[in-house]
Amino acid sequence: MSTKREIEAEKLFQEGYKLFKKEQESTSLQVNLDFVSYLRKAERKGSVKARFLLGYILCVPFKDISVDLEKGNKILKKCFKPLSEMVEISKDPQACLFLSKYYEIPLANHVKDLEKVKKLLVLANLDATLDNQKKIEADTISVDSSIESLVNAINMLQTPNRDDVAEIINLIKVNADNGNIRAMIFLGDCYLEGKYVKKDDSIAKLYYSLAEEKGSYRGKFNLGKMLVEGRYSDANIALGLNKIYQAAKAGLKEALYYLGVIYYEGKYLEKDLDKAYLYFQASFSRNYLPSKEYLIKIEQEKGDALVLSFIKDKQEANN
């Protein structure tokens, strides 16, 4: 019998999963992250299915969400055993579907095994007719061969001392040429940081621009940062700030944080603690933890300013 906590976790997960599916079907390239808050709440109450999805979207290209295979795979490794137990005990359809992804993509160092995928999909609906089974397969989290090759290529790059890095980078370039936004962003980051390739700001800028043209706010933000922080004219800095503002307005947490820092430091725009606080607050509400330190700083600074103002007013009144 399920406990109250388990029932609450399942309810939160289903709400988040419903929003996730809706987001999958949306043609917008900018992801609406409303589903994430439900998944996080469900995860905190013990939902392994919610934890799986949070790890999954870090590993498999999903719109404008930044890829983080190391973190995603770390989460997914912890989910495999409890998902397997859930499948064995209750044959939960969603658990069957999620478990099949370990063998379909594959995920978390598993080996591709389409027979296991097929069995798990059948298990997801034991009484399904052939037509219903096709519907189940059509309802799975869609992963085409190009996405699979991108995930595998990035995974391979993280293996130390490889002698085929250039070949793997070329594989990722093929994905970028085919319009994959996350491949474009990944390559832009590589060329900007000089990671796996020779550092080249102009090529990084090109890939970020291509991603921006495809509707990526992360590409827009990264391009904006390059314009602001590079050796460019005031006009380019203004253009960069505008791009960052657009990405922040779309809800990109890193862009919200970046604007908060700008207003806090008063480097490119006039210092404004109130605006900085609002941007940090918006970023922190989207689980961008570096914002917390600035929120505390601003609260302390504003508090100190109020104390000094009170002392000054009191001294003037006494005089």
Side-chain angles (χ1 to χ4, degrees), residues 246-289:
Q246 289 177 44
K249 190 177 179 183
L252 190 69
K253 59 187 179 182
E254 293 88 349
L256 290 162
Y257 172 81
Y258 194 84
L259 280 180
V261 173
I262 285 177
Y263 277 113
Y264 180 80
E265 295 180 347
K267 188 174 181 180
Y268 303 105
L269 299 168
E270 187 176 347
K271 186 178 178 79
D272 189 324
L273 291 184
D274 290 330
K275 285 184 179 178
Y277 192 85
L278 288 174
Y279 281 116
F280 285 131
Q281 202 171 44
S283 178
F284 186 65
S285 71
R286 289 164 173 77
N287 296 296
Y288 198 67
L289 300 183

Side-chain angles (χ1 to χ4, degrees), residues 11-12 30 59 71 74 78 108 123 144 173 176 190 197 213 215 224 233 258:
K11 185 177 179 181
L12 285 165
Q30 174 61 24
C59 289
K71 184 178 179 181
K74 190 176 179 181
K78 293 178 180 177
L123 199 59
D144 61 25
K173 285 180 179 178
C190 287
V197 293
E213 287 172 12
S233 66
Y258 194 84

Side-chain angles (χ1 to χ4, degrees), residues 79-302:
C79 293
F80 182 79
K81 185 177 179 181
L83 277 175
S84 300
E85 290 171 353
M86 192 180 294
V87 167
E88 186 177 344
I89 295 168
S90 66
K91 298 182 178 62
D92 181 291
Q94 289 163 332
C96 294
L97 173 60
F98 294 167
L99 199 61
S100 75
K101 295 301 157 188
Y102 284 89
Y103 303 105
E104 181 184 347
I105 296 176
L107 295 171
N109 298 328
H110 280 71
V111 177
K112 188 162 186 171
D113 190 330
L114 296 182
E115 280 302 310
K116 284 185 178 178
V117 173
K118 187 176 179 181
K119 287 177 182 177
L120 284 162
L121 289 175
V122 171
L123 199 59
N125 192 341
L126 293 173
D127 298 322
T129 62
L130 182 60
D131 288 339
N132 284 338
Q133 185 55 43
K134 288 178 180 177
K135 183 177 184 301
I136 291 171
E137 293 182 23
D139 195 41
T140 62
I141 303 171
S142 57
V143 180
D144 61 25
S145 58
S146 65
I147 288 176
E148 181 186 327
S149 69
L150 174 61
V151 173
N152 288 337
I154 297 174
N155 262 325
M156 285 189 288
L157 279 177
Q158 294 179 347
T159 305
N161 303 319
R162 294 194 70 100
D163 57 5
D164 57 350
V165 170
E167 294 174 25
I168 299 170
I169 288 292
N170 283 333
L171 264 177
I172 297 172
K173 285 180 179 178
V174 170
N175 278 270
D177 291 342
N178 289 333
N180 189 298
I181 291 174
R182 289 180 81 169
M184 295 172 189
I185 298 295
F186 182 82
L187 288 169
D189 291 346
C190 287
Y191 280 103
L192 185 66
E193 299 165 12
K195 190 175 182 181
Y196 309 123
V197 293
K198 185 178 178 181
K199 181 177 169 61
D200 192 319
D201 286 359
S202 62
I203 298 179
K205 189 177 177 183
L206 172 64
Y207 277 115
Y208 290 148
S209 298
L210 289 171
E212 182 188 27
E213 287 172 12
K214 294 284 288 183
S216 167
Y217 283 104
R218 188 168 298 280
K220 188 184 289 290
F221 167 63
N222 289 353
L223 192 57
K225 273 181 66 179
M226 288 190 73
L227 291 170
V228 168
E229 297 175 1
R231 295 178 180 177
Y232 296 104
S233 66
D234 288 346
N236 280 319
I237 290 174
L239 176 62
L241 288 171
N242 183 49
K243 289 180 183 295
I244 291 166
Y245 172 75
Q246 289 177 44
K249 190 177 179 183
L252 190 69
K253 59 187 179 182
E254 293 88 349
L256 290 162
Y257 172 81
Y258 194 84
L259 280 180
V261 173
I262 285 177
Y263 277 113
Y264 180 80
E265 295 180 347
K267 188 174 181 180
Y268 303 105
L269 299 168
E270 187 176 347
K271 186 178 178 79
D272 189 324
L273 291 184
D274 290 330
K275 285 184 179 178
Y277 192 85
L278 288 174
Y279 281 116
F280 285 131
Q281 202 171 44
S283 178
F284 186 65
S285 71
R286 289 164 173 77
N287 296 296
Y288 198 67
L289 300 183
S291 296
K292 186 176 182 180
E293 183 181 343
Y294 277 100
L295 288 171
I296 293 169
K297 282 182 181 179
I298 293 172
E299 286 168 1
Q300 288 174 340
E301 288 180 31
K302 287 173 75 81

